Each structure stands twice: as C-alpha cells, then as structure tokens.
C-alpha cells in the first residue's frame, strides 16, 4: 500500500518535513481557499505542487481530498449546468497536472460531525467523540428543530435535557464550535441562526430526491473522469446516519452498491473509510471491503468504539470495533489481484485517519482530528500490520 498523509496546505501546523519524517510519500490535500463551485485553475494546482516539491523531502500530491460539491448540486437547484461544467474543468486541470484520484463526499451542508474535540484519554491525551445526547441537546434545545425528537431514543433525549439544563452559554458555544469543526479549510462556520437558515434550503428534500441529485452528479462527471483516466471515490457519511434532519445516503453496503451500480464504471469508486462505516452498527467493514474491493481507490484507516445510544469515540487504530487486521488483509488481497492483472495502479493509497492528540500534540493547534504524534502512532501500527501480513503472503 502507498502511505499517504492529509496536509491542509500552508496553513497546516504540520510541516512537510514532518510529514516526510513519518515515512509517508503521498500527500493528500486540496485547495480549501477556493470557493465551492469555482474552477481550480492549472496555475493554482501547480502552485500547490511547487510548494510540496520545494520542500525537497520526496513527497508528491497524489490524492485530492476533496474537490467539494456545491450545495446547489446536492439540492438540485440553481445554475447546475455551469456548476457541472466547472467541476469537470477542475477535474481536467487536475489530470493535466498529474493528480488523478479525487476523494469527495455527498453529505448535505456539513462534513464530518463530532460533539467533542477533546474527550479525555488515559494519560492525558484527547480524542474526537460523537455524543448522541449532546447532539440531541443541540438539535432539540439550541437549534430547536421540532422533528429531532423522532431521531433519538428516549434515553438520549432525557440525557440531552439534563445536559442542556446544566449547561452554560460557554458550554453551548463549545458544542456549536465542535459540530462546526468538520467543515474543511477556511469554510465559514455557522452560528445557530445561520445554520437554521441554511437548513431551510433543504426543506422537503428527502432521501429519494437527494439520491436523484447524486445520480445526476455521477452521470455528469464519471464519463469525464473515465475519459481523463481519473478515479472518483466517494467518502462515506460521517456519522453514517441522518443528522439535523438531513438525509444521509452513503452509510452502508446497500448505499454503496446503489452508487457504484448507478454508473457502473471503474472511475466511479469508493473511499474505504473504516471509521465512518465502522460507526454504523450494521456494517461489517472488512466484508464491505471485500464486496467492493475492485472499486476501492483510496482508504482512510481509523477505528471507533460504539455505544448503545448511538454515541461513538475515536479509538486507537488497532483496538476499536473494526477488525483492522482483517480489513488490511482484504485490501492487500485486492492489491495482489490487481498486480496479477498487470495493472499499473495496483497499489491503494491509504492514510492514517483521525488520530488522538498525544504529548506534544496538545496545544499545538493542529486541525481537529489531525495531530502529528497521534497519526504517526496510527501509521506505525498500520505499517506493522501491513508488514506482518505481507510477510505471511510472501
């Protein structure tokens, strides 16, 4: 497998020499400062490549994460023809610069969502956490979304009410900021009022309508990707459940099967995110990897520990609910199959995802979920599993 590392560009607290020290060689990055729907120019792409090459540490930009999809495409409104044309032009410009794998998601409005960015760990480290009661408190008592009662268990609602009654304005602000932290790059964060207003743009948009809009997106961009020799790989929903009244349509094996069948071309592929899929109790992540192995173009390897009320927390890479050894074995078997076919793209780029903040990570101000030492630990553990399994295969 090719070891990758997500880097948020010049604003990232983690430097490129540090990335090289991890042993990773593939940079996973994006032009987060460009507004959604605007073309990524060849000049802007090359400027990011120049920064990476100028570090002179053997790194190259191999995966885009992500080329974001404008909200109008998800809603099926606005000047869609121009938005699709701009997206295809950005794809063509990336391909012209030699960047041929694009990770993207189709989550309405928000990206990954957590309620706590610094849940305490033994020894003083911290982890990302999604608390169902805290999310219920936000939806029911801060956002005041009436339908939210239907999305949570009575136990979660009861705990949410207790938390809200005991919370201070500062605690509520921390919860809002935590929920907003998953938005990438310099994207504007929402206040409670502006989030409520943004959500109103999705009123009446159900699962079937969102699927129809997604299918149109695939029909518009996958043929272009195939012509350009590019690989598009959708990232699963995080968390893999409806949230804020918004439908989520990339949450389990059935969803993935629908997506890959909607446009049955190898260019239409999957980012296998073991943490996002692993947060859904119905998902057997290694089985999903084997089922869709030939369409996995990129992998995020991390782990979560789930709780009965729908809460989950980022776990150590090898000790969460997903059998990481079995999952890596599935990915290595697929790489071997591709190599037997003589494919030049036999190896899958993977990166260690969301790490714990440990030791010198604390207080450094890295992007939430993307500390240096925590991800370095995860990469080292994953590398050991890969080495052991590869030795056995050989």
């Amino acid at each position: 497998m090719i070891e990758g590392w997500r880097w948020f560009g010049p604003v990232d607290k983690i430097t490129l020499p540090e990335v090289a020290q991890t042993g990773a060689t593939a940079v996973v990055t994006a032009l987060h400062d460009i507004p959604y729907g605007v073309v990524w120019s060849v000049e802007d792409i090359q400027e990011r490549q120049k920064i990476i090459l100028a570090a002179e540490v053997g790194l190259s930009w191999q995966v885009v994460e992500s080329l974001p999809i404008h909200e109008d495409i998800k809603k099926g409104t606005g000047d869609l023809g121009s938005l699709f044309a701009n997206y295809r032009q950005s794809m063509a410009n990336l391909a012209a610069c030699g960047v041929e794998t694009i990770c993207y998601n189709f989550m309405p409005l928000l990206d990954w969502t957590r309620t706590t960015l610094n849940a305490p760990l033994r020894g003083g480290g911290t982890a990302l956490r999604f608390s169902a009661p805290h999310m219920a408190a936000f939806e029911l008592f801060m956002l005041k979304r009436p339908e939210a009662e239907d999305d949570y268990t009575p136990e979660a609602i009861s705990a949410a009410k207790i938390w809200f009654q005991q919370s201070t304005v500062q605690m509520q602000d921390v919860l809002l900021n935590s929920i907003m932290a998953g938005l990438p790059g310099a994207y504007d964060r929402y206040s409670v009022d502006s989030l409520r207003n943004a959500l109103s743009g999705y009123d009446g948009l159900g699962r079937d309508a969102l699927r129809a809009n997604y299918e149109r997106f695939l029909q518009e961009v996958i043929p272009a990707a195939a012509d350009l020799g590019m690989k598009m790989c959708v990232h699963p929903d995080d968390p893999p459940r409806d949230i804020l009244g918004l439908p989520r349509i990339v949450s389990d094996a059935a969803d993935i099967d629908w997506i890959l069948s909607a446009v049955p071309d190898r260019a239409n592929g999957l980012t296998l995110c073991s943490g996002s899929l692993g947060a859904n109790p119905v998902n057997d992540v290694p089985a999903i990897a084997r089922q869709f192995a030939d369409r996995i173009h990129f992998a995020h390897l991390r782990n979560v520990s789930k709780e009965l009320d729908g809460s989950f927390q980022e776990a150590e890479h090898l000790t969460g609910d997903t059998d990481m050894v079995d999952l890596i074995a599935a990915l290595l078997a697929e790489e071997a199959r591709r190599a037997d076919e003589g494919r030049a793209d036999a190896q899958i780029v993977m990166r260690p995802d969301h790490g714990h903040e440990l030791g010198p990570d604390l207080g450094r101000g890295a992007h939430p979920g993307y500390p240096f030492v925590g991800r370095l630990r995860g990469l080292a553990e994953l590398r050991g599993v890969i080495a052991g399994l590869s030795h056995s295969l050989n």
Side-chain angles (χ1 to χ4, degrees):
M1 301 181 77
I2 299 172
E3 296 178 359
W5 189 273
R6 189 171 191 185
W7 184 64
F8 290 89
V11 301
D12 201 321
K13 299 292 184 181
I14 314 302
T15 68
L16 290 169
E18 287 178 307
V19 174
Q21 290 171 30
T22 71
T25 57
V27 173
V28 178
T29 191
L31 306 182
H32 294 300
D33 54 321
I34 297 179
Y36 288 17
V38 175
V39 172
W40 290 14
S41 70
V42 168
E43 292 75 19
D44 287 334
I45 296 165
Q46 290 178 336
E47 179 60 29
R48 179 58 55 87
Q49 290 177 315
K50 288 176 184 176
I51 293 171
I52 295 169
L53 293 175
E56 297 183 340
V57 286
L59 299 171
S60 63
W61 184 4
Q62 296 192 32
V63 179
V64 174
E65 188 178 344
S66 61
L67 181 58
I69 299 169
H70 196 280
E71 292 301 312
D72 280 352
I73 292 176
K74 300 172 189 176
K75 292 185 288 186
T77 60
D79 185 2
L80 296 178
S82 294
L83 290 173
F84 287 130
N86 287 355
Y87 202 95
R88 289 191 295 265
Q89 187 60 57
S90 294
M91 293 167 58
N93 292 345
L94 284 162
C97 295
V99 184
E100 298 178 345
T101 302
I102 297 176
C103 170
Y104 70 97
N105 74 71
F106 212 80
M107 290 181 270
L109 207 59
L110 295 182
D111 206 305
W112 59 264
T113 303
R114 299 292 184 274
T115 59
T116 305
L117 304 180
N118 57 352
L121 299 170
R122 182 183 63 186
T126 66
L128 300 179
R129 176 174 174 79
F130 179 88
S131 163
H134 287 180
M135 195 68 205
F138 177 78
E139 294 207 54
L140 285 166
F141 306 118
M142 293 173 61
L143 193 62
K144 296 183 172 61
R145 186 175 73 82
E147 300 85 356
E149 287 194 6
D150 299 332
D151 294 340
Y152 295 93
T153 65
E155 294 78 14
I157 293 172
S158 176
K161 188 172 185 178
I162 292 171
W163 180 88
F164 183 74
Q165 290 172 340
Q166 297 176 346
S167 68
T168 63
V169 172
Q170 182 181 17
M171 291 168 65
Q172 293 173 28
D173 287 343
V174 169
L175 177 58
L176 172 63
N177 291 335
S178 298
I179 292 170
M180 291 298 108
L183 290 168
Y187 194 92
D188 290 339
R189 271 53 179 162
Y190 295 107
S191 66
V192 170
D193 287 338
S194 62
L195 177 60
R196 190 181 293 118
N197 183 63
L199 287 169
S200 69
Y202 280 92
D203 285 349
L205 186 76
R207 177 181 176 86
D208 290 342
L210 186 61
R211 266 193 168 187
N213 295 339
Y214 185 21
E215 185 171 15
R216 179 174 178 183
F217 170 78
L218 293 173
Q219 291 169 344
E220 292 279 354
V221 304
I222 296 302
D227 289 343
L228 293 165
M230 302 191 80
K231 294 173 285 189
M232 298 288 294
C233 36
V234 64
H235 187 287
D237 301 326
D238 187 8
R241 48 162 288 178
D242 292 357
I243 194 169
L244 298 173
L246 300 171
R248 293 289 179 92
I249 57 173
V250 194
S251 294
D252 56 28
D255 288 341
I256 296 168
D257 184 61
W258 178 86
I259 292 162
L260 301 185
S261 300
V263 180
D265 190 290
R266 185 184 289 172
N268 180 24
L270 172 68
T271 295
L272 193 287
C273 180
S274 55
S276 297
L277 292 170
N280 188 336
V282 308
N283 287 337
D284 180 334
V285 182
I288 288 174
R290 291 186 171 92
Q291 181 178 354
F292 303 109
D294 64 330
R295 304 283 280 278
I296 295 173
H297 300 323
F298 182 37
H300 291 177
L301 300 183
R302 63 181 174 89
N303 226 323
V304 298
S305 295
K306 299 184 289 293
E307 298 163 29
L308 292 177
D309 66 355
S311 303
F312 61 88
Q313 184 163 308
E314 306 283 352
E316 295 173 358
H317 282 72
L318 302 185
T319 60
D321 293 340
T322 293
D323 185 339
M324 190 63 68
V325 176
D326 192 26
L327 173 58
I328 291 174
L331 296 176
L332 291 176
E334 172 59 16
E335 286 188 327
R337 187 193 67 79
R338 296 178 188 183
D340 288 342
E341 290 182 350
R343 285 174 52 178
D345 64 344
Q347 287 187 291
I348 298 169
V349 177
M350 72 84 172
R351 68 170 179 82
D353 206 1
H354 298 175
H356 292 165
E357 284 200 333
L358 305 171
D361 287 331
L362 297 168
R364 187 173 182 183
H367 283 69
Y370 294 94
F372 180 65
V373 176
R375 283 188 290 165
L376 175 59
R377 174 183 174 177
L379 179 57
E381 293 173 343
L382 297 169
R383 182 183 293 145
V385 171
I386 293 168
L389 290 172
S390 298
H391 181 76
S392 297
L393 289 172
N394 290 335

